[in-house]
Amino acid sequence: MEIKKPTKTYDAVIVGSGAGGGMTAKVLAEQGLSVAIVEAGPFFDPADPVTKTQMRWPYESPRRGASTQRDFGDFDMAWGGWEIEGEPYTQAEGTDFRWFRSRMLGGRTNHWGRISLRFGPDDFRRRDIDGLGANWPISYEDVKPYYDKVDKLIGVFGTNEGLPNDPDGFFLPPPKPRLHEWYYIKGARKSGVTVIPSRMSMLTKRINKERGLCFYCGQCGRSCMVYADFSSGSCLIFPAQKAGGQIDLFVNCMARSVETGPDGKAKAVSYVNKADRQEYQIKGKVIVLAASACSTARILLNSKEGGLGNGSGVIGRYLHDSTGSSMYGFLPALMDRDRYNEDGVGGMHVYSPWWEDNKKLDFPRGYHIEVWGGQSMPKYGHGFNQAEVQRALGITPGGYGKKYKEELRRIYGAFVGMSGRGESVAQYDNYCEIDPSKVDEWGIPVLRFHYRWTDYERRQARHMQDTFEEILTNMGAKILSGKKTAANDYGLNKPGEIIHEVGTARMGDDPKTSVTNGYGRLHEVPNLFITDAATFPSQADKNPTWTIMALAWRTSDHIISELKKMNL
Amino acid sequence: MDRRESIKSLLIGAAATSALFTAAGCEADTTPAGETAAENPFPYEGTRIPEELRRDARLHANAPFFSESERKILDHLADIILPADEQGPAASATGVTDFIDFMTLDFPDFQLPLRGGLAWLSRASLQRFDQNDFMALTEEQQMAIIEEIAYLPEDPAEVPKPEVAFFDLLRRLVTTGYFTSKEGIKDLGYKGNAPNLWDGPPEEVLRKHGITGEEEWLSKCIDHDTRNEMAEWDENGNLLT
């Protein structure tokens, strides 16, 4: 393999090629800057027919798509997972944090759920509202113009609903609800739970001449070969390169640290090229970290004793993931269904944004509800829950033969589930740090995690379980997953499992308590920026990707403006 | 056999299973099974990363897990669980035994309960019918043994006996194997994995389920006739095209 060696000094060196890195590269390259992207995984293009998993059948996998090897199954487009050979992390006692990494160009944007939610005005000032955590140094009004631009550039379907903390945008039309989603709509309305069309980044309508339109295979998690869904490669990096932008990709290059000069400025990124296992440095006038919250913290902590730009001591601190808790059931009304193609887009067509006022509740932050079910493609695990269905229907569990086979046909597509995705409260004591005793196979010291949920999250999960039970009951469903109780933390997912980890280099006005300013610029290193979710002081009850991109764009504009003013 | 060959044989291995099944003398299904490797110009291994290929190669190097005689019993049990009927073939004709064999290597926790269960069948056959080969029993004798282990406790909290747990695990794997096979998907009636313009459930389905009066919601949804018109909005985010 030919080893690409950095020879020149780039205007900007960006670590990471996901939502943040891709957006930063695009905006800077369009302004004429020479950009290098350092990506830990190989090149990936969703359109490549050799690597594509889209439109494959379960029997094309020897394990029928089971998750024994890839965390979300053989067809999921994440080259990596919670465990990566040769790239471990460790846990403090009592912690079970799960760190998901996709090692590939575009990172986790290749498989993510495409749920594209703006943070609302309240999400930038939670401390003002409930006295917990920290406010952001910026407001919704600062970010709104960038959300608008992201909507138009990437494409997101949804509807303008005029909700106070789930802002309107520039939406493409949403797909119609599936049958089980109509049942959900009715069940949710009965309980006074808001339910609206989903907001997701697939093209239901043309926004440019380059990208293909959704053809409703329901497989966005496999990454779309016609670029009808958002991924960083297909929507940001490749178009910018095609338009003449100077973006050099250093793939299979694992960033280790940011090097600084005697003037305290960042001057280069050190990395290991995985092909020859040799160390290199790539020089940049501006350095941008967009490696994902935990990787960005790791790079900063490995850059200097005590951490680069860490006068505040909060790098790695305030790590927080979204909460998750789920329930699912069986809808007798959907037995013996008429068969028709119900794939739709990859994910739900309807959802419930947070509808309550936390002042009246015993937990401070909200959650949204995601809905799933329907006549989806059979995969590994199909029929595994038949005994529970039989018990719910009063049939002796088990059996065999023609009767059993017929039962399986009759209940196909009659399942419905819901998952809460909530905001946790950022805690100083939930953090990642460098484990002094261990390195990965590239010789880079690894992260050690410290993370415990608090009663804020447990009470929120209890509310989820109560709500799901009520809605499922309204729908006429029989609950199969049981109702989770205090004994199992109300079904709370382990931290990291929702893959929305944020907060490890939070932004703020005070350099004593924050790492960057409102532009993601390190207080202590003027030409070093962060454009991933490390800067988020709080998570919101929304998926972080849209905000990562809006902020990355805003930071990139700031970099351009500062360069023009000779401030960098 | 190199890895490419072994993966290929795994994908087309169902044909061999079908032959075995016919030899066992049961009702044969003539549907040719699993020609996916030939139909798909892009092999599965192109979708794997090097670590996954290395692991798959290690698994294939240990295949098959089950002996020929064990595989015959598995084929037979698969067809007891999901026999041929008007709508679909018997499970063994769709490659479930190859699938289960692979899964025992891919997920080794399956090995003991499955192998232990097969051994229990031999003991039960000997104890009840003085014949240690389950396959040599009459159909009536076989079914007497299967009836003993085919049902789970009504109470999900009650731990089933190992032989009942064995049959339950096998039932799950056979069910998944069948309904994820080409024939099983057809049997189930899954209509997707094909390009289309999703436009909601058919009218008669909505009527049947009492979904009416939702014009307001539907008016916001996509009209596929306009999907190729470039999106334009006014300054308030109202879509104009």
Side-chain angles (χ1 to χ4, degrees), chain A residues 286-297:
Chain A
V286 170
I287 309 286
V288 180
L289 298 179
S292 84
C294 296
S295 284
T296 286

Side-chain angles (χ1 to χ4, degrees), chain A residues 495-563:
Chain A
E497 282 189 339
I498 310 302
I499 322 183
H500 293 167
E501 70 281 3
V502 307
T504 51
R506 69 181 190 178
M507 59 167 69
D509 289 329
D510 184 354
K512 290 198 284 296
T513 57
S514 62
V515 180
T516 79
N517 69 11
Y519 287 105
R521 186 179 191 167
L522 268 74
H523 293 304
E524 298 169 26
V525 190
N527 65 334
L528 180 55
F529 295 82
I530 297 174
T531 61
D532 59 30
T535 61
F536 289 21
S538 64
Q539 156 70 285
D541 49 43
K542 284 103 179 172
N543 308 46
T545 306
W546 226 241
T547 302
I548 291 172
M549 285 199 283
L551 293 180
W553 198 329
R554 185 170 178 270
T555 293
S556 302
D557 278 359
H558 179 70
I559 291 172
I560 299 289
S561 138
E562 290 291 281
L563 280 171

Side-chain angles (χ1 to χ4, degrees), chain A residues 426-552:
Chain A
Q427 305 287 337
Y428 181 80
D429 288 331
N430 286 343
Y431 65 103
C432 56
E433 61 175 348
I434 299 300
D435 183 334
S437 68
K438 200 160 185 176
V439 294
D440 65 13
E441 70 167 299
W442 318 110
I444 305 172
V446 307
L447 286 179
R448 178 166 61 197
F449 290 94
H450 303 250
Y451 202 116
R452 285 170 202 258
W453 291 126
T454 71
D455 283 342
Y456 297 136
E457 290 80 33
R458 291 188 194 94
R459 286 185 210 131
Q460 184 196 62
R462 178 173 64 194
H463 192 274
M464 291 182 194
Q465 290 287 312
D466 288 342
T467 304
F468 301 161
E469 181 185 41
E470 187 175 317
I471 295 176
L472 281 167
T473 305
N474 292 344
M475 293 164 71
K478 294 176 186 297
I479 292 160
L480 298 187
S481 55
K483 190 178 179 184
K484 304 294 192 299
T485 64
N488 39 36
D489 275 355
Y490 304 98
L492 261 181
N493 282 84
K494 289 173 185 167
E497 282 189 339
I498 310 302
I499 322 183
H500 293 167
E501 70 281 3
V502 307
T504 51
R506 69 181 190 178
M507 59 167 69
D509 289 329
D510 184 354
K512 290 198 284 296
T513 57
S514 62
V515 180
T516 79
N517 69 11
Y519 287 105
R521 186 179 191 167
L522 268 74
H523 293 304
E524 298 169 26
V525 190
N527 65 334
L528 180 55
F529 295 82
I530 297 174
T531 61
D532 59 30
T535 61
F536 289 21
S538 64
Q539 156 70 285
D541 49 43
K542 284 103 179 172
N543 308 46
T545 306
W546 226 241
T547 302
I548 291 172
M549 285 199 283
L551 293 180

Side-chain angles (χ1 to χ4, degrees), chain A residues 107-122:
Chain A
R108 296 180 291 192
T109 67
N110 293 303
H111 88 135
W112 70 301
R114 274 80 177 183
I115 299 173
S116 305
L117 306 175
R118 297 178 179 212
F119 286 13
D122 289 352

Side-chain angles (χ1 to χ4, degrees), chain A residues 204-494:
Chain A
T204 56
K205 186 178 176 68
R206 198 163 286 289
I207 58 161
N208 61 37
K209 295 196 175 94
E210 285 73 41
R211 288 171 59 199
L213 297 184
C214 183
F215 55 87
Y216 303 95
C217 71
Q219 299 169 24
C220 298
R222 304 183 185 193
S223 210
C224 187
M225 61 178 151
V226 304
Y227 301 170
D229 61 16
F230 167 72
S231 72
S232 177
S234 61
C235 299
L236 298 170
I237 297 170
F238 303 151
Q241 287 179 317
K242 226 170 132 186
Q246 304 173 62
I247 302 178
D248 287 348
L249 302 177
F250 290 79
V251 294
N252 280 315
C253 292
M254 180 84 174
R256 173 196 299 277
S257 55
V258 175
E259 306 301 324
T260 43
D263 57 357
K265 284 187 171 182
K267 60 173 191 180
V269 170
S270 290
Y271 66 86
V272 179
N273 190 316
K274 290 182 174 179
D276 66 359
R277 295 179 180 271
Q278 300 294 310
E279 181 98 359
Y280 295 87
Q281 284 193 1
I282 182 166
K283 295 194 185 88
K285 294 174 191 158
V286 170
I287 309 286
V288 180
L289 298 179
S292 84
C294 296
S295 284
T296 286
R298 182 185 179 194
I299 291 166
L300 288 171
L301 292 170
N302 275 328
S303 294
K304 189 183 150 192
E305 187 69 37
L308 177 61
N310 197 25
S312 65
V314 300
I315 292 179
R317 296 278 172 180
Y318 302 106
L319 167 65
H320 58 303
D321 186 23
S322 294
T323 58
S325 184
S326 302
M327 187 181 281
Y328 92 101
F330 169 73
L331 259 177
L334 291 186
M335 281 177 80
D336 303 310
R337 292 188 62 174
D338 294 300
R339 303 297 204 251
Y340 55 89
N341 184 336
E342 202 176 34
D343 286 342
V345 303
M348 72 227 182
H349 293 183
V350 311
Y351 89 114
S352 291
W354 180 234
W355 67 98
E356 296 263 42
D357 178 0
N358 289 91
K359 289 207 168 81
K360 297 172 187 154
L361 297 163
D362 64 352
F363 58 95
R365 307 283 165 90
Y367 60 90
H368 71 259
I369 304 176
E370 304 177 3
V371 192
W372 36 278
Q375 303 188 54
S376 46
M377 192 183 330
K379 60 180 182 187
Y380 182 87
H382 185 96
F384 274 23
N385 59 356
Q386 188 62 10
E388 285 98 80
V389 177
Q390 291 166 323
R391 285 190 183 103
L393 289 173
I395 300 170
T396 307
Y400 59 89
K402 289 184 180 178
K403 178 173 163 286
Y404 170 71
K405 198 175 186 184
E406 186 58 21
E407 277 173 22
L408 287 157
R409 293 177 184 129
R410 296 190 62 198
I411 57 102
Y412 172 56
F415 299 98
V416 63
M418 46 201 76
S419 298
R421 296 287 180 259
E423 177 174 4
S424 61
V425 179
Q427 305 287 337
Y428 181 80
D429 288 331
N430 286 343
Y431 65 103
C432 56
E433 61 175 348
I434 299 300
D435 183 334
S437 68
K438 200 160 185 176
V439 294
D440 65 13
E441 70 167 299
W442 318 110
I444 305 172
V446 307
L447 286 179
R448 178 166 61 197
F449 290 94
H450 303 250
Y451 202 116
R452 285 170 202 258
W453 291 126
T454 71
D455 283 342
Y456 297 136
E457 290 80 33
R458 291 188 194 94
R459 286 185 210 131
Q460 184 196 62
R462 178 173 64 194
H463 192 274
M464 291 182 194
Q465 290 287 312
D466 288 342
T467 304
F468 301 161
E469 181 185 41
E470 187 175 317
I471 295 176
L472 281 167
T473 305
N474 292 344
M475 293 164 71
K478 294 176 186 297
I479 292 160
L480 298 187
S481 55
K483 190 178 179 184
K484 304 294 192 299
T485 64
N488 39 36
D489 275 355
Y490 304 98
L492 261 181
N493 282 84
K494 289 173 185 167

Side-chain angles (χ1 to χ4, degrees), chain A residues 59-60 62-64 68 70 74 174 183 189 205 216 219 338-339 343 382 391 399-401 404-405 409, chain B residues 10 36 40 47-48 52 56 81 83 106 147 150 153 175-177 187-188 193 196 208-209 214 222 226:
Chain A
Y59 47 78
E60 292 182 62
R63 53 181 65 78
R64 307 291 168 91
T68 41
R70 209 174 272 190
D74 265 0
Y183 275 83
R189 281 176 185 158
K205 186 178 176 68
Y216 303 95
Q219 299 169 24
D338 294 300
R339 303 297 204 251
D343 286 342
H382 185 96
R391 285 190 183 103
Y400 59 89
Y404 170 71
K405 198 175 186 184
R409 293 177 184 129
Chain B
L10 194 91
T36 54
N40 190 338
T47 71
R48 304 293 90 193
E52 294 169 336
D56 272 353
I81 292 167
D106 196 32
E147 270 293 313
T175 303
T176 265
D187 178 345
L188 198 61
N193 202 26
N196 73 103
K208 200 189 285 186
H209 289 270
E214 297 289 354
I222 180 73
T226 63

